[in-house]
């Protein structure tokens, strides 16, 4: 589904004229690595996701309960709303690789652009935990020192924490693999591994083995909304696809690449629907 939506949005910006323009931009990037090309499709995808995020919260807050029970309308509405978080995470992974492609050497050698990225992620982390503060009185935290529910609400992992950790993992892959040609395969293999391990991870209780702040990153434990298992998969998928897309741009085959991705997306949707009817 993400592939089809993304392909539709991006193809609107990848006419022959646009592709040649992208190539010129890409060539200029090699001369001026501080700048990364922008692709309208990924910006549009993120924008659509933000609009639907607002709709999701409004509907969840105000839609009458009678419409939520046994309503075909609500079923399809919930299905659409369920695409929001994966889409936003996918776009985030795609965007980090657009930036990483132009800043590759700077990041590998810890130049100023690397530390600028770290400051951004640090700021997002502060905002993420600030939004979960249980008031502003230090005495309240001292009095609740042994209150599990209090600290679980404070330290739960939401979309922002998930984004920060996911982007750090993508950057770690850059440092480990060091070659652009290896990164998409590393991202895809890691995504598959996370997806396969998620059922086992969710069956574990890490609260007795790890600090609560770390345990909530691994599975919900009844609290976290976006643990990295499995949500990091969408960020890794976006990063991996971005690498292949940038290769197609360099080879002047972006339009053909997007057509293939659209076809693959349609096959995955059909496969998902068929497996949904399977007796296991």
């Amino acid at each position: 589904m993400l592939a089809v939506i993304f392909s539709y949005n991006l193809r609107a910006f990848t006419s022959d004229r646009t592709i040649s323009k992208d190539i010129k931009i890409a060539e200029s990037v090699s001369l001026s690595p501080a700048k990364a090309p922008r692709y309208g499709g990924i910006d549009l995808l993120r924008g659509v996701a933000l609009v639907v995020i607002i709709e999701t919260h409004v509907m969840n807050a105000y839609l009458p309960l009678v419409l939520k029970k046994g309503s075909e309308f609500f079923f399809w509405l919930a299905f659409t709303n369920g695409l929001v978080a994966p889409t936003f995470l996918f776009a985030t992974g795609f965007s980090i690789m657009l930036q990483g492609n132009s800043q590759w050497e700077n990041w590998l050698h810890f130049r100023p652009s690397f530390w600028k990225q770290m400051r951004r992620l640090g700021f997002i982390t502060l905002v993420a935990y600030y939004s979960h503060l249980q008031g502003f009185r230090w005495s309240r935290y001292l009095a609740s020192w042994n209150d599990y529910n209090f600290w679980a609400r404070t330290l739960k992992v939401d979309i922002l924490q998930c984004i920060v950790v996911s982007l750090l993992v993508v950057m770690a892959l850059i440092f480990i693999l060091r070659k652009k040609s290896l990164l998409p395969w590393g991202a895809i293999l890691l995504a598959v591994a996370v997806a396969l391990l998620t059922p086992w991870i969710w069956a574990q209780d890490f609260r007795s083995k790890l600090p609560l702040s770390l345990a909530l990153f691994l599975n919900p434990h009844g609290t976290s909304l976006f643990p990295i298992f499995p949500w990091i998969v969408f960020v890794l998928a976006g990063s991996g696809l971005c690498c292949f897309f940038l290769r197609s741009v360099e080879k002047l085959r972006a339009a053909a690449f997007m057509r293939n991705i659209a076809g693959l997306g349609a096959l995955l949707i059909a496969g998902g629907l068929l497996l949904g009817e399977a007796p296991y």
Side-chain angles (χ1 to χ4, degrees):
M1 178 66 77
L2 289 176
V4 172
I5 296 173
F6 175 62
S7 175
Y8 175 81
N9 289 332
L10 193 58
R11 285 186 65 190
F13 294 87
T14 53
S15 62
D16 293 339
R17 183 188 304 175
T18 306
I19 293 171
S20 61
K21 180 181 178 181
D22 289 343
I23 296 303
K24 292 179 180 178
I25 294 174
E27 291 174 348
S28 68
V29 166
S30 63
L31 300 176
S32 179
K35 296 181 179 179
R38 296 193 70 90
Y39 296 95
I42 197 66
D43 290 333
L44 180 59
L45 185 67
R46 187 187 287 115
V48 170
L50 287 174
V51 171
V52 182
I53 284 174
I54 297 172
E55 174 271 317
T56 299
H57 286 84
V58 170
M59 288 296 181
N60 288 343
Y62 296 107
L63 193 68
L65 290 176
V66 66
L67 294 178
K68 294 182 180 181
K69 297 180 179 180
S71 169
E72 185 174 354
F73 165 77
F74 183 75
F75 170 81
W76 288 109
L77 179 65
F79 175 80
T80 302
N81 293 345
L83 296 175
V84 172
T87 299
F88 196 80
L89 291 171
F90 175 87
T92 299
F94 197 97
S95 297
I96 191 65
M97 279 315 304
L98 285 179
Q99 185 180 0
N101 186 62
S102 63
Q103 298 289 346
W104 192 274
E105 292 299 324
N106 291 334
W107 287 0
L108 284 180
H109 295 91
F110 301 100
R111 291 171 184 157
S113 61
F114 169 81
W115 299 111
K116 183 177 181 180
Q117 182 68 19
M118 291 296 102
R119 286 197 300 271
R120 288 174 178 170
L121 295 180
F123 175 74
I124 295 173
T125 303
L126 290 176
V127 171
Y129 283 109
Y130 175 84
S131 65
H132 292 162
L133 287 180
Q134 307 296 301
F136 294 93
R137 291 180 297 175
W138 182 244
S139 59
R140 185 176 183 185
Y141 287 86
L142 293 177
S144 304
W145 187 253
N146 294 320
D147 186 343
Y148 169 81
N149 292 327
F150 178 88
W151 286 102
R153 291 193 303 270
T154 302
L155 299 172
K156 71 177 181 179
V157 177
D158 217 327
I159 187 71
L160 292 180
Q161 288 96 330
C162 180
I163 286 175
V164 170
V165 172
S166 298
L167 294 183
L168 288 174
V169 169
V170 172
M171 296 186 74
L173 284 176
I174 292 175
F175 287 112
I176 294 171
L177 300 176
R178 307 191 76 80
K179 293 183 179 180
K180 292 182 181 180
S181 60
L182 296 178
L183 190 101
W185 302 110
I188 290 172
L189 288 175
L190 182 57
V192 171
V194 169
L196 294 177
L197 284 172
T198 293
W200 181 81
I201 293 292
W202 277 40
Q204 310 302 312
D205 188 345
F206 294 99
R207 290 171 293 184
S208 60
K209 305 173 184 177
L210 296 171
L212 182 61
S213 57
L214 297 179
L216 293 176
F217 272 98
L218 298 178
N219 75 46
H221 290 104
T223 302
S224 292
L225 298 176
F226 291 92
I228 58 175
F229 289 85
W231 291 99
I232 192 177
V233 168
F234 298 105
V235 177
L236 293 170
S239 297
L241 185 66
C242 181
C243 293
F244 291 125
F245 171 73
L246 290 173
R247 266 186 221 174
S248 72
V249 170
E250 292 175 359
K251 297 178 180 179
L252 299 176
R253 293 183 54 82
F257 175 82
M258 295 314 301
R259 285 195 296 270
N260 292 336
I261 287 297
L264 176 61
L267 289 175
L268 289 174
I269 292 171
L273 292 174
L274 290 174
L275 287 174
E277 299 299 323
Y280 52 88

